[in-house]
Amino acid sequence: GIPLLSLVWNYIRRPRVDPGILTGRNIRVGGFNLIFLTENIEMLVESLDGCVECLCKNNEDDPINGFDEMLEQVNAPLVGSVFPFRGIDDGTGGAVDALKALRSGDTVGKVVLDNSANPTLI
């Protein structure tokens, strides 16, 4: 049978992630649910290869040799716009303009708030 007590114990002890802590540390977690593809290995391999291809700036003439090499070739995120964290005293610029840009739907890449004028320790 199924070791029910062991399953419950492992469920209770599982790692937990607090999104508030991740956001404060500028960490993102993403995932894929490909479990349904385990019955179709050919499609699973094709899907995973597509994921790797999207992450890497590799070309077909230069094959990837191992996971470490793949990590070295991962593209940096595209920064589309940078706004100062604090705007001008009249309410323009800064986070207000960044939010307006996001709401417009016209942004491409990351929208970054630059707080280098007022660095804080975490």
Side-chain angles (χ1 to χ4, degrees):
I2 298 175
L4 188 58
L5 187 58
S6 175
L7 287 174
V8 171
W9 179 248
N10 286 334
Y11 178 79
I12 291 171
R13 291 186 23 213
R14 77 189 186 285
R16 291 176 180 81
V17 177
D18 180 354
I21 291 173
L22 295 179
T23 303
R25 294 183 58 207
N26 198 22
I27 296 174
R28 182 187 79 165
V29 176
F32 300 93
N33 183 1
L34 301 176
I35 192 70
F36 65 94
L37 290 177
T38 56
E39 295 176 7
N40 187 342
I41 298 300
E42 185 177 311
M43 188 182 284
L44 176 63
V45 169
E46 184 180 317
S47 297
L48 291 175
D49 285 347
C51 291
V52 171
E53 185 180 323
C54 284
L55 291 172
C56 294
K57 55 188 172 195
N58 189 25
N59 62 50
E60 294 178 10
D61 298 331
D62 186 20
I64 297 172
N65 296 314
F67 187 73
D68 291 335
E69 187 174 321
M70 180 195 75
L71 289 178
E72 290 174 9
Q73 296 184 27
V74 171
N75 294 325
L78 169 68
V79 176
S81 358
V82 178
F83 295 89
F85 185 75
R86 297 205 186 278
I88 304 171
D89 290 335
D90 66 1
T92 61
V96 173
D97 283 351
L99 185 57
K100 286 178 185 176
L102 286 170
R103 286 183 174 167
S104 75
D106 294 332
T107 59
V108 175
K110 305 286 183 188
V111 174
V112 177
L113 289 174
D114 180 7
N115 194 32
S116 59
N118 298 307
T120 59
L121 298 175
I122 295 179

